[in-house]
Amino acid sequence: MGGLFLKVLLLGASLTGFLYSLVDFPFCGKTVLKRPNFVIILADDMGWGDLGANGVETKDTPQLDKMASEGMRFVDFHASASTCSPSRASLLTGRLGVRNGVTHNFAVSSVGGLPLNETTLAQVLQEAGYITGMIGKWHLGHHGLYQPNFRGFSYYFGIPYSHDMGCSDTPGYNHPPCPACPPSSAGSQSIPGKNCYSDVGLPLYENFIIVEQPVNLTSLTEKFAEKATQFIQQASDSGRPFFLYLALTHMHVPLTVTHWSADLSGQRLYRESLQEMDNLVGRIKDKVDSTVKENTFLWFTGDNGPWSQKCELAGNVGPFAGLWQTKRGGSSAKQTTWEGGHRVPAIAYWPNRVPANVTSTALLSVLDIFPTIASLAKVSLPPKRHFDGLDISEVLFGHSQTGHRVLFHPNSGAAGSYGALETVRLGQYKAFYITGGAKACDGSLGPEQHHKLPLIFNLQEDPAECAPLDSSSAVYQDILPKVTGALVDVLQDISGDNTSVADYSHDPSVIPCCNVLEIACRCQLPL
């Protein structure tokens, strides 16, 4: 009851404009025990091959490459799903969507979010005395108790969902500007060349308050950088440990850059936006280095692979082309369980703790972030539930190359039921009980196909997933029962676990709007 009273008190304070001062400056004393700080930076729709350090020809990420040379780069690191909301839910819970309930994306009119009986990493750290901040894209529920401030974050500054889910006066590519369409055409869709858009303006929140609607996308990067560096500085000054979760809008469309130029288009625009993201990450790292370098663990990764449907404005999957699928139609990147959909860039940086200039080949996942940080912070995992992630501290500190023996890649929209586990990674092998391609640049879709005998690929020899093993081969016959057994085991474990169900119902009244009297809900408060 006391915790609820405090949240209600904070909500009341926010409505009168005081929450920022309560949350941003609550630091009044030094702690003797120095627990580590944590900064997680999550890119959006970034390809494995977008990171220069991964050996690609273009070098648009000098800051991230420098971080990799000073830390540890992971080359077999995976998102826990191939689309936004499920991936983010797993990052914050350490659990797959079939456990935490988040199996597909939430909408602008979604009533629910990450189920309230799921405990987030932020809640665990906050209860242990950490100052917690969330800056950037949330996409785990924006109505009522699903907002970040109720999910363990002391401070929140960002957008409630993807920035293509509302109009903007500065829309970037592939998105028409505000104002919204008149009521008579409210059912119309976003069409290139239209001068209106059916959604309300994209809102920008500070804690519970919409401070800008629609968002000026060209200034959003700078705002995120300023708020993040302020949070780090003020938390550092307090002497208390902190946790910052910075979820970027890069590289999701609509792509924007701070300094817009009319001749920016296509792949050049993508590269400019990638360079802007890289510079933002560099600013965060520089701030960490100048304030709390020796005691701060910085982890960079992505939520899923590139959105190939967006053609030249999509990222690079590197060698993980999913050729078996693309030859049959559709994309093998975002929304799929092919490598391009879930293998993501990842870098760990912690001077004098994480060894420098090391490449790890361990099989790892975004799911590992929660249990690893909990271990490093010396806090207990939430009881009465099972976790899919591992504590990979020994890998981080260079003492081991052992990660997961098995990973499960949930269906994320291209084929099968949302969240279902029908793709299994076992060591260097990967088995598909279902295949399908997401919408590709050419508009094609890969047909959904079910495989009674799974397709099994040897990723070590065939990273492009071009040719599956012959089902009559000795290797196939050896791997098949191991894959089958692993799948049976996890499904049995899930059936006995404390699982959640997300509310995916819709209600137009929950759509964020700071001024219902204005077209597109227009308002702006001083920041």
Side-chain angles (χ1 to χ4, degrees):
M1 181 63 73
L4 178 60
F5 173 77
L6 175 60
K7 289 176 179 178
V8 173
L9 177 64
L10 290 175
L11 176 58
S14 75
L15 296 177
T16 57
F18 295 121
L19 182 59
Y20 186 85
S21 61
L22 283 175
V23 170
D24 204 28
F25 307 100
F27 321 132
C28 56
K30 302 290 183 177
T31 56
V32 176
L33 180 63
K34 294 292 289 185
R35 285 173 292 176
N37 309 304
F38 304 103
V39 177
I40 297 173
I41 303 178
L42 187 71
D44 197 340
D45 288 3
M46 182 181 180
W48 188 95
D50 287 336
L51 180 65
N54 279 341
V56 296
E57 293 182 3
T58 57
K59 301 294 183 183
D60 295 316
T61 57
Q63 298 298 326
L64 282 167
D65 298 346
K66 181 173 183 287
M67 187 189 303
S69 71
E70 297 173 347
M72 184 175 289
R73 177 173 61 98
F74 305 100
V75 294
D76 203 355
F77 195 93
H78 298 264
S80 49
S82 297
T83 191
C84 298
S85 296
S87 182
R88 292 155 200 272
S90 290
L91 186 158
L92 289 175
T93 64
R95 288 153 54 87
L96 288 165
V98 287
R99 298 187 198 269
N100 67 39
V102 181
T103 59
H104 53 290
N105 288 342
F106 295 105
V108 175
S109 57
S110 287
V111 173
L114 175 64
L116 299 178
N117 57 315
E118 290 292 321
T119 303
T120 70
L121 174 60
Q123 287 171 303
V124 169
L125 293 176
Q126 188 179 60
E127 290 171 2
Y130 274 71
I131 301 161
T132 55
M134 194 276 146
I135 294 173
K137 170 181 164 180
W138 176 238
H139 213 170
L140 290 175
H142 53 271
H143 176 59
L145 296 178
Y146 296 102
Q147 293 180 330
N149 294 100
F150 287 127
R151 306 315 301 268
F153 290 101
S154 310
Y155 177 65
Y156 167 51
F157 182 86
I159 57 176
Y161 32 70
S162 297
H163 60 299
D164 65 341
M165 294 170 67
C167 67
S168 172
D169 294 331
T170 53
Y173 174 87
N174 199 31
H175 206 55
C178 291
C181 299
S184 61
S185 58
S188 63
Q189 299 295 314
S190 170
I191 301 174
K194 283 182 65 70
N195 59 4
C196 68
Y197 188 72
S198 58
D199 287 349
V200 299
L202 179 71
L204 176 65
Y205 279 84
E206 187 158 38
N207 297 308
F208 300 98
I209 302 296
I210 297 176
V211 294
E212 186 179 6
Q213 191 172 14
V215 174
N216 182 338
L217 293 180
T218 60
S219 64
L220 196 57
T221 300
E222 182 61 28
K223 288 173 181 173
F224 285 170
E226 288 179 356
K227 294 296 184 181
T229 54
Q230 287 173 11
F231 179 88
I232 292 169
Q233 183 64 58
Q234 291 164 359
S236 174
D237 291 345
S238 78
R240 290 172 58 190
F242 67 84
F243 167 51
L244 172 62
Y245 170 40
L246 175 59
L248 307 177
T249 55
H250 299 82
M251 299 298 301
H252 198 295
V253 297
L255 296 179
T256 58
V257 291
T258 301
H259 303 292
W260 186 260
S261 173
D263 63 350
L264 281 179
S265 62
Q267 191 59 37
R268 183 181 172 193
L269 174 56
Y270 186 89
R271 293 184 62 184
E272 289 277 344
S273 186
L274 183 60
Q275 291 166 16
E276 182 175 87
M277 183 204 74
D278 181 70
N279 182 65
L280 187 159
V281 174
R283 288 178 62 180
I284 304 305
K285 177 180 175 292
D286 288 346
K287 187 63 180 179
V288 167
D289 285 347
S290 66
T291 52
V292 284
K293 179 177 182 177
E294 299 301 323
N295 200 41
T296 301
F297 176 31
L298 196 159
W299 204 330
F300 174 89
T301 189
D303 70 336
N304 49 246
W307 199 358
S308 294
Q309 176 183 341
K310 300 304 178 180
C311 302
E312 70 274 13
L313 293 179
N316 180 0
V317 297
F320 308 106
L323 295 180
W324 189 93
Q325 182 61 61
T326 58
K327 290 176 181 177
R328 291 161 176 78
S331 157
S332 59
K334 180 179 178 177
Q335 298 180 319
T336 80
T337 57
W338 299 96
E339 288 295 290
H342 52 75
R343 192 182 291 232
V344 290
I347 301 169
Y349 172 77
W350 191 355
N352 300 319
R353 295 296 302 276
V354 173
N357 201 26
V358 170
T359 298
S360 172
T361 58
L363 178 58
L364 304 175
S365 169
V366 165
L367 292 159
D368 304 328
I369 290 176
F370 189 146
T372 302
I373 287 181
S375 173
L376 295 173
K378 300 190 184 318
V379 297
S380 299
L381 293 175
K384 300 180 180 179
R385 66 199 66 197
H386 299 171
F387 292 83
D388 298 292
L390 302 175
D391 173 7
I392 62 167
S393 302
E394 291 297 294
V395 177
L396 289 173
F397 299 146
H399 304 317
S400 172
Q401 279 283 12
T402 301
H404 290 260
R405 186 183 74 89
V406 181
L407 270 184
F408 301 94
H409 302 297
N411 297 339
S412 297
S417 302
Y418 285 121
L421 305 180
E422 297 181 277
T423 305
V424 183
R425 173 75 182 275
L426 177 69
Q428 69 195 59
Y429 298 98
K430 185 176 176 187
F432 291 80
Y433 287 89
I434 190 171
T435 53
K439 190 172 184 180
C441 174
D442 61 7
S444 68
L445 287 169
E448 179 176 312
Q449 297 184 44
H450 295 260
H451 305 278
K452 186 174 182 180
L453 281 178
L455 302 181
I456 300 180
F457 295 84
N458 183 341
L459 294 179
Q460 186 171 302
E461 298 178 358
D462 182 17
E465 296 170 302
C466 180
L469 300 175
D470 183 342
S471 60
S472 64
S473 69
V475 175
Y476 186 98
Q477 295 299 321
D478 177 57
I479 297 300
L480 179 59
K482 297 175 182 176
V483 166
T484 304
L487 189 55
V488 168
D489 287 347
V490 75
L491 294 178
Q492 287 180 342
D493 184 75
I494 291 168
S495 68
D497 192 12
N498 181 12
T499 59
S500 302
V501 178
D503 179 1
Y504 278 100
S505 64
H506 294 263
D507 183 347
S509 69
V510 307
I511 297 174
C513 181
C514 61
N515 189 347
V516 296
L517 300 179
E518 290 284 341
I519 292 177
C521 299
R522 188 174 297 276
C523 67
Q524 184 166 354
L525 301 178
L527 292 177

